[in-house]
Amino acid sequence: MANNEIQLLENIEIQFVFAENEVQFEEKLKIFLSHVLKELASPHEIVRKRAIEILNHIKKRMTKAVKLPWDLLAELVCSENFMRFTLVKNFTIMFLKMAYDRLTEKEKITNLLPLIKNIELKSHNLKKILFQIILEFFPKLSLKFTDLETKEVVDSLYSLYECSRLLSCEKESLCQSQSLKFEIMCYLCKSKLAANIFPFMLHVSFDCLYSPKTNVNLQKKGEDFIQWITRKADDSILELIGNVLLFDLLKIIKKTKIEKFNNLMKEQEINPTLLFKPFYGLPNLSIDNSEESID
């Protein structure tokens, strides 16, 4: 059996040797890299050593212009069967990091989604591995305003928030989850599109404000996002959620006191009348009654 595995690896190595330029080398990576990584799970030490030699050869030939097969690497890193082998895990994550650094900014957010798909169903150890990868990758993002008005990007941000919300239920991941949520909210609070995606904009706002797993920083971001929604959401959205938003805005005002709220309006150059303008004219809407309900 070991001889067959060695023969396979030698055939793969020849394929890489025959790659004369970066284009050909990149094509070989798409076909053979995952096969070599899987051989690190072999029970035979001689096979594992041969696989490591080939992987080190690949690493030396890598240039910034050569892209790695992200989808195949992501599939492998999400595999319960292979991630239990330390060598497979370490080398796969190493190449995944190299692949991530070669993605565009838009790809860096959207390509995280395969890592979080059904993450709540993964084993504890694999969830920990995947979440650590996401925590390491996300701060590398540098999304532009144009990116934040792209539905694919905003949907990815909401999906990542939901992932971090699920993982916050695990005590050891709580602080990291809160940190990731905060970074995601910093982006959502800059996106007009995010303010118009119902019901997800309400879900994240209320999670920040009222979840038992929240903290002061997240509550502040929840307040910021509620105000952002009132300013940037379309009229059709505001008509749908107006009462809910008004109730929460009144709670925010009551919490921060009127003086602090007025200071906030001045700092952000927001006219309080304009802030509540979307709610004028809604049927059966009474500010006095809404405020009483808070008590």
mmCIF file with all atom_site columns, all heavy atoms in Angstrom, residues 70-86:
data_model
loop_
_atom_site.group_PDB
_atom_site.id
_atom_site.type_symbol
_atom_site.label_atom_id
_atom_site.label_alt_id
_atom_site.label_comp_id
_atom_site.label_asym_id
_atom_site.label_entity_id
_atom_site.label_seq_id
_atom_site.pdbx_PDB_ins_code
_atom_site.Cartn_x
_atom_site.Cartn_y
_atom_site.Cartn_z
_atom_site.occupancy
_atom_site.B_iso_or_equiv
_atom_site.pdbx_formal_charge
_atom_site.auth_seq_id
_atom_site.auth_comp_id
_atom_site.auth_asym_id
_atom_site.auth_atom_id
_atom_site.pdbx_PDB_model_num
ATOM 1   N N   . TRP A 1 70 ? -8.582  27.975 -3.639 1.00 0.00 ? 70 TRP A N   1
ATOM 2   C CA  . TRP A 1 70 ? -9.260  28.275 -2.371 1.00 0.00 ? 70 TRP A CA  1
ATOM 3   C C   . TRP A 1 70 ? -10.365 27.279 -2.058 1.00 0.00 ? 70 TRP A C   1
ATOM 4   O O   . TRP A 1 70 ? -10.463 26.766 -0.942 1.00 0.00 ? 70 TRP A O   1
ATOM 5   C CB  . TRP A 1 70 ? -9.823  29.692 -2.397 1.00 0.00 ? 70 TRP A CB  1
ATOM 6   C CG  . TRP A 1 70 ? -10.682 29.981 -1.204 1.00 0.00 ? 70 TRP A CG  1
ATOM 7   C CD1 . TRP A 1 70 ? -12.031 29.794 -1.084 1.00 0.00 ? 70 TRP A CD1 1
ATOM 8   C CD2 . TRP A 1 70 ? -10.233 30.452 0.074  1.00 0.00 ? 70 TRP A CD2 1
ATOM 9   N NE1 . TRP A 1 70 ? -12.454 30.139 0.177  1.00 0.00 ? 70 TRP A NE1 1
ATOM 10  C CE2 . TRP A 1 70 ? -11.370 30.535 0.902  1.00 0.00 ? 70 TRP A CE2 1
ATOM 11  C CE3 . TRP A 1 70 ? -8.984  30.818 0.584  1.00 0.00 ? 70 TRP A CE3 1
ATOM 12  C CZ2 . TRP A 1 70 ? -11.298 30.977 2.221  1.00 0.00 ? 70 TRP A CZ2 1
ATOM 13  C CZ3 . TRP A 1 70 ? -8.912  31.252 1.903  1.00 0.00 ? 70 TRP A CZ3 1
ATOM 14  C CH2 . TRP A 1 70 ? -10.059 31.326 2.701  1.00 0.00 ? 70 TRP A CH2 1
ATOM 15  N N   . ASP A 1 71 ? -11.235 27.010 -3.028 1.00 0.00 ? 71 ASP A N   1
ATOM 16  C CA  . ASP A 1 71 ? -12.394 26.150 -2.774 1.00 0.00 ? 71 ASP A CA  1
ATOM 17  C C   . ASP A 1 71 ? -11.973 24.758 -2.303 1.00 0.00 ? 71 ASP A C   1
ATOM 18  O O   . ASP A 1 71 ? -12.581 24.194 -1.382 1.00 0.00 ? 71 ASP A O   1
ATOM 19  C CB  . ASP A 1 71 ? -13.258 26.037 -4.031 1.00 0.00 ? 71 ASP A CB  1
ATOM 20  C CG  . ASP A 1 71 ? -13.978 27.334 -4.355 1.00 0.00 ? 71 ASP A CG  1
ATOM 21  O OD1 . ASP A 1 71 ? -14.084 28.191 -3.460 1.00 0.00 ? 71 ASP A OD1 1
ATOM 22  O OD2 . ASP A 1 71 ? -14.425 27.496 -5.509 1.00 0.00 ? 71 ASP A OD2 1
ATOM 23  N N   . LEU A 1 72 ? -10.952 24.202 -2.930 1.00 0.00 ? 72 LEU A N   1
ATOM 24  C CA  . LEU A 1 72 ? -10.484 22.869 -2.547 1.00 0.00 ? 72 LEU A CA  1
ATOM 25  C C   . LEU A 1 72 ? -9.856  22.884 -1.152 1.00 0.00 ? 72 LEU A C   1
ATOM 26  O O   . LEU A 1 72 ? -10.057 21.958 -0.361 1.00 0.00 ? 72 LEU A O   1
ATOM 27  C CB  . LEU A 1 72 ? -9.476  22.351 -3.576 1.00 0.00 ? 72 LEU A CB  1
ATOM 28  C CG  . LEU A 1 72 ? -10.042 22.055 -4.972 1.00 0.00 ? 72 LEU A CG  1
ATOM 29  C CD1 . LEU A 1 72 ? -8.927  21.687 -5.938 1.00 0.00 ? 72 LEU A CD1 1
ATOM 30  C CD2 . LEU A 1 72 ? -11.064 20.919 -4.899 1.00 0.00 ? 72 LEU A CD2 1
ATOM 31  N N   . LEU A 1 73 ? -9.110  23.933 -0.861 1.00 0.00 ? 73 LEU A N   1
ATOM 32  C CA  . LEU A 1 73 ? -8.495  24.048 0.463  1.00 0.00 ? 73 LEU A CA  1
ATOM 33  C C   . LEU A 1 73 ? -9.556  24.255 1.539  1.00 0.00 ? 73 LEU A C   1
ATOM 34  O O   . LEU A 1 73 ? -9.467  23.691 2.637  1.00 0.00 ? 73 LEU A O   1
ATOM 35  C CB  . LEU A 1 73 ? -7.494  25.208 0.473  1.00 0.00 ? 73 LEU A CB  1
ATOM 36  C CG  . LEU A 1 73 ? -6.223  24.991 -0.357 1.00 0.00 ? 73 LEU A CG  1
ATOM 37  C CD1 . LEU A 1 73 ? -5.453  26.301 -0.501 1.00 0.00 ? 73 LEU A CD1 1
ATOM 38  C CD2 . LEU A 1 73 ? -5.337  23.925 0.275  1.00 0.00 ? 73 LEU A CD2 1
ATOM 39  N N   . ALA A 1 74 ? -10.564 25.063 1.229  1.00 0.00 ? 74 ALA A N   1
ATOM 40  C CA  . ALA A 1 74 ? -11.651 25.298 2.185  1.00 0.00 ? 74 ALA A CA  1
ATOM 41  C C   . ALA A 1 74 ? -12.431 24.012 2.440  1.00 0.00 ? 74 ALA A C   1
ATOM 42  O O   . ALA A 1 74 ? -12.827 23.718 3.577  1.00 0.00 ? 74 ALA A O   1
ATOM 43  C CB  . ALA A 1 74 ? -12.585 26.387 1.659  1.00 0.00 ? 74 ALA A CB  1
ATOM 44  N N   . GLU A 1 75 ? -12.645 23.247 1.385  1.00 0.00 ? 75 GLU A N   1
ATOM 45  C CA  . GLU A 1 75 ? -13.339 21.963 1.536  1.00 0.00 ? 75 GLU A CA  1
ATOM 46  C C   . GLU A 1 75 ? -12.544 21.019 2.437  1.00 0.00 ? 75 GLU A C   1
ATOM 47  O O   . GLU A 1 75 ? -13.106 20.324 3.288  1.00 0.00 ? 75 GLU A O   1
ATOM 48  C CB  . GLU A 1 75 ? -13.539 21.326 0.159  1.00 0.00 ? 75 GLU A CB  1
ATOM 49  C CG  . GLU A 1 75 ? -14.261 19.995 0.185  1.00 0.00 ? 75 GLU A CG  1
ATOM 50  C CD  . GLU A 1 75 ? -14.423 19.383 -1.191 1.00 0.00 ? 75 GLU A CD  1
ATOM 51  O OE1 . GLU A 1 75 ? -14.194 20.096 -2.192 1.00 0.00 ? 75 GLU A OE1 1
ATOM 52  O OE2 . GLU A 1 75 ? -14.768 18.186 -1.273 1.00 0.00 ? 75 GLU A OE2 1
ATOM 53  N N   . LEU A 1 76 ? -11.235 21.020 2.266  1.00 0.00 ? 76 LEU A N   1
ATOM 54  C CA  . LEU A 1 76 ? -10.382 20.136 3.058  1.00 0.00 ? 76 LEU A CA  1
ATOM 55  C C   . LEU A 1 76 ? -10.335 20.569 4.522  1.00 0.00 ? 76 LEU A C   1
ATOM 56  O O   . LEU A 1 76 ? -10.399 19.735 5.435  1.00 0.00 ? 76 LEU A O   1
ATOM 57  C CB  . LEU A 1 76 ? -8.972  20.122 2.463  1.00 0.00 ? 76 LEU A CB  1
ATOM 58  C CG  . LEU A 1 76 ? -7.968  19.122 3.057  1.00 0.00 ? 76 LEU A CG  1
ATOM 59  C CD1 . LEU A 1 76 ? -8.522  17.697 2.997  1.00 0.00 ? 76 LEU A CD1 1
ATOM 60  C CD2 . LEU A 1 76 ? -6.640  19.204 2.321  1.00 0.00 ? 76 LEU A CD2 1
ATOM 61  N N   . VAL A 1 77 ? -10.245 21.878 4.758  1.00 0.00 ? 77 VAL A N   1
ATOM 62  C CA  . VAL A 1 77 ? -10.149 22.364 6.135  1.00 0.00 ? 77 VAL A CA  1
ATOM 63  C C   . VAL A 1 77 ? -11.470 22.182 6.886  1.00 0.00 ? 77 VAL A C   1
ATOM 64  O O   . VAL A 1 77 ? -11.494 22.201 8.122  1.00 0.00 ? 77 VAL A O   1
ATOM 65  C CB  . VAL A 1 77 ? -9.704  23.847 6.159  1.00 0.00 ? 77 VAL A CB  1
ATOM 66  C CG1 . VAL A 1 77 ? -10.882 24.790 6.002  1.00 0.00 ? 77 VAL A CG1 1
ATOM 67  C CG2 . VAL A 1 77 ? -8.940  24.165 7.432  1.00 0.00 ? 77 VAL A CG2 1
ATOM 68  N N   . CYS A 1 78 ? -12.550 21.982 6.152  1.00 0.00 ? 78 CYS A N   1
ATOM 69  C CA  . CYS A 1 78 ? -13.856 21.735 6.777  1.00 0.00 ? 78 CYS A CA  1
ATOM 70  C C   . CYS A 1 78 ? -14.141 20.243 6.961  1.00 0.00 ? 78 CYS A C   1
ATOM 71  O O   . CYS A 1 78 ? -15.219 19.870 7.432  1.00 0.00 ? 78 CYS A O   1
ATOM 72  C CB  . CYS A 1 78 ? -14.969 22.356 5.934  1.00 0.00 ? 78 CYS A CB  1
ATOM 73  S SG  . CYS A 1 78 ? -14.999 24.156 5.955  1.00 0.00 ? 78 CYS A SG  1
ATOM 74  N N   . SER A 1 79 ? -13.188 19.413 6.592  1.00 0.00 ? 79 SER A N   1
ATOM 75  C CA  . SER A 1 79 ? -13.381 17.964 6.654  1.00 0.00 ? 79 SER A CA  1
ATOM 76  C C   . SER A 1 79 ? -13.056 17.419 8.042  1.00 0.00 ? 79 SER A C   1
ATOM 77  O O   . SER A 1 79 ? -11.926 17.548 8.523  1.00 0.00 ? 79 SER A O   1
ATOM 78  C CB  . SER A 1 79 ? -12.499 17.275 5.606  1.00 0.00 ? 79 SER A CB  1
ATOM 79  O OG  . SER A 1 79 ? -12.456 15.881 5.820  1.00 0.00 ? 79 SER A OG  1
ATOM 80  N N   . GLU A 1 80 ? -14.042 16.814 8.666  1.00 0.00 ? 80 GLU A N   1
ATOM 81  C CA  . GLU A 1 80 ? -13.823 16.191 9.978  1.00 0.00 ? 80 GLU A CA  1
ATOM 82  C C   . GLU A 1 80 ? -12.776 15.077 9.871  1.00 0.00 ? 80 GLU A C   1
ATOM 83  O O   . GLU A 1 80 ? -11.935 14.903 10.764 1.00 0.00 ? 80 GLU A O   1
ATOM 84  C CB  . GLU A 1 80 ? -15.136 15.603 10.511 1.00 0.00 ? 80 GLU A CB  1
ATOM 85  C CG  . GLU A 1 80 ? -16.234 16.622 10.747 1.00 0.00 ? 80 GLU A CG  1
ATOM 86  C CD  . GLU A 1 80 ? -16.132 17.282 12.109 1.00 0.00 ? 80 GLU A CD  1
ATOM 87  O OE1 . GLU A 1 80 ? -15.159 17.006 12.834 1.00 0.00 ? 80 GLU A OE1 1
ATOM 88  O OE2 . GLU A 1 80 ? -17.030 18.073 12.441 1.00 0.00 ? 80 GLU A OE2 1
ATOM 89  N N   . ASN A 1 81 ? -12.828 14.328 8.770  1.00 0.00 ? 81 ASN A N   1
ATOM 90  C CA  . ASN A 1 81 ? -11.944 13.170 8.621  1.00 0.00 ? 81 ASN A CA  1
ATOM 91  C C   . ASN A 1 81 ? -10.473 13.564 8.568  1.00 0.00 ? 81 ASN A C   1
ATOM 92  O O   . ASN A 1 81 ? -9.622  12.913 9.176  1.00 0.00 ? 81 ASN A O   1
ATOM 93  C CB  . ASN A 1 81 ? -12.307 12.386 7.355  1.00 0.00 ? 81 ASN A CB  1
ATOM 94  C CG  . ASN A 1 81 ? -13.638 11.676 7.484  1.00 0.00 ? 81 ASN A CG  1
ATOM 95  O OD1 . ASN A 1 81 ? -14.066 11.351 8.591  1.00 0.00 ? 81 ASN A OD1 1
ATOM 96  N ND2 . ASN A 1 81 ? -14.309 11.449 6.362  1.00 0.00 ? 81 ASN A ND2 1
ATOM 97  N N   . PHE A 1 82 ? -10.170 14.640 7.829  1.00 0.00 ? 82 PHE A N   1
ATOM 98  C CA  . PHE A 1 82 ? -8.769  14.998 7.622  1.00 0.00 ? 82 PHE A CA  1
ATOM 99  C C   . PHE A 1 82 ? -8.226  15.956 8.676  1.00 0.00 ? 82 PHE A C   1
ATOM 100 O O   . PHE A 1 82 ? -7.029  15.936 8.981  1.00 0.00 ? 82 PHE A O   1
ATOM 101 C CB  . PHE A 1 82 ? -8.576  15.587 6.220  1.00 0.00 ? 82 PHE A CB  1
ATOM 102 C CG  . PHE A 1 82 ? -8.629  14.560 5.129  1.00 0.00 ? 82 PHE A CG  1
ATOM 103 C CD1 . PHE A 1 82 ? -9.752  14.422 4.331  1.00 0.00 ? 82 PHE A CD1 1
ATOM 104 C CD2 . PHE A 1 82 ? -7.556  13.707 4.911  1.00 0.00 ? 82 PHE A CD2 1
ATOM 105 C CE1 . PHE A 1 82 ? -9.809  13.459 3.337  1.00 0.00 ? 82 PHE A CE1 1
ATOM 106 C CE2 . PHE A 1 82 ? -7.601  12.740 3.917  1.00 0.00 ? 82 PHE A CE2 1
ATOM 107 C CZ  . PHE A 1 82 ? -8.732  12.608 3.128  1.00 0.00 ? 82 PHE A CZ  1
ATOM 108 N N   . MET A 1 83 ? -9.068  16.808 9.243  1.00 0.00 ? 83 MET A N   1
ATOM 109 C CA  . MET A 1 83 ? -8.570  17.796 10.198 1.00 0.00 ? 83 MET A CA  1
ATOM 110 C C   . MET A 1 83 ? -8.174  17.181 11.540 1.00 0.00 ? 83 MET A C   1
ATOM 111 O O   . MET A 1 83 ? -7.576  17.836 12.379 1.00 0.00 ? 83 MET A O   1
ATOM 112 C CB  . MET A 1 83 ? -9.611  18.895 10.421 1.00 0.00 ? 83 MET A CB  1
ATOM 113 C CG  . MET A 1 83 ? -9.707  19.903 9.291  1.00 0.00 ? 83 MET A CG  1
ATOM 114 S SD  . MET A 1 83 ? -8.162  20.800 8.955  1.00 0.00 ? 83 MET A SD  1
ATOM 115 C CE  . MET A 1 83 ? -7.568  19.912 7.503  1.00 0.00 ? 83 MET A CE  1
ATOM 116 N N   . ARG A 1 84 ? -8.478  15.909 11.737 1.00 0.00 ? 84 ARG A N   1
ATOM 117 C CA  . ARG A 1 84 ? -8.038  15.264 12.980 1.00 0.00 ? 84 ARG A CA  1
ATOM 118 C C   . ARG A 1 84 ? -6.572  14.859 12.916 1.00 0.00 ? 84 ARG A C   1
ATOM 119 O O   . ARG A 1 84 ? -5.977  14.480 13.928 1.00 0.00 ? 84 ARG A O   1
ATOM 120 C CB  . ARG A 1 84 ? -8.922  14.052 13.292 1.00 0.00 ? 84 ARG A CB  1
ATOM 121 C CG  . ARG A 1 84 ? -8.940  12.985 12.226 1.00 0.00 ? 84 ARG A CG  1
ATOM 122 C CD  . ARG A 1 84 ? -10.069 11.985 12.472 1.00 0.00 ? 84 ARG A CD  1
ATOM 123 N NE  . ARG A 1 84 ? -10.136 10.980 11.423 1.00 0.00 ? 84 ARG A NE  1
ATOM 124 C CZ  . ARG A 1 84 ? -9.548  9.790  11.489 1.00 0.00 ? 84 ARG A CZ  1
ATOM 125 N NH1 . ARG A 1 84 ? -8.852  9.459  12.575 1.00 0.00 ? 84 ARG A NH1 1
ATOM 126 N NH2 . ARG A 1 84 ? -9.660  8.920  10.503 1.00 0.00 ? 84 ARG A NH2 1
ATOM 127 N N   . PHE A 1 85 ? -5.985  14.949 11.717 1.00 0.00 ? 85 PHE A N   1
ATOM 128 C CA  . PHE A 1 85 ? -4.559  14.659 11.557 1.00 0.00 ? 85 PHE A CA  1
ATOM 129 C C   . PHE A 1 85 ? -3.776  15.971 11.628 1.00 0.00 ? 85 PHE A C   1
ATOM 130 O O   . PHE A 1 85 ? -4.003  16.883 10.835 1.00 0.00 ? 85 PHE A O   1
ATOM 131 C CB  . PHE A 1 85 ? -4.293  13.965 10.222 1.00 0.00 ? 85 PHE A CB  1
ATOM 132 C CG  . PHE A 1 85 ? -4.950  12.618 10.090 1.00 0.00 ? 85 PHE A CG  1
ATOM 133 C CD1 . PHE A 1 85 ? -6.149  12.482 9.404  1.00 0.00 ? 85 PHE A CD1 1
ATOM 134 C CD2 . PHE A 1 85 ? -4.383  11.491 10.671 1.00 0.00 ? 85 PHE A CD2 1
ATOM 135 C CE1 . PHE A 1 85 ? -6.765  11.254 9.276  1.00 0.00 ? 85 PHE A CE1 1
ATOM 136 C CE2 . PHE A 1 85 ? -4.988  10.245 10.554 1.00 0.00 ? 85 PHE A CE2 1
ATOM 137 C CZ  . PHE A 1 85 ? -6.187  10.123 9.861  1.00 0.00 ? 85 PHE A CZ  1
ATOM 138 N N   . THR A 1 86 ? -2.858  16.055 12.562 1.00 0.00 ? 86 THR A N   1
ATOM 139 C CA  . THR A 1 86 ? -2.145  17.312 12.819 1.00 0.00 ? 86 THR A CA  1
ATOM 140 C C   . THR A 1 86 ? -1.397  17.817 11.591 1.00 0.00 ? 86 THR A C   1
ATOM 141 O O   . THR A 1 86 ? -1.438  19.013 11.276 1.00 0.00 ? 86 THR A O   1
ATOM 142 C CB  . THR A 1 86 ? -1.156  17.132 13.988 1.00 0.00 ? 86 THR A CB  1
ATOM 143 O OG1 . THR A 1 86 ? -1.875  16.709 15.144 1.00 0.00 ? 86 THR A OG1 1
ATOM 144 C CG2 . THR A 1 86 ? -0.441  18.442 14.293 1.00 0.00 ? 86 THR A CG2 1
#
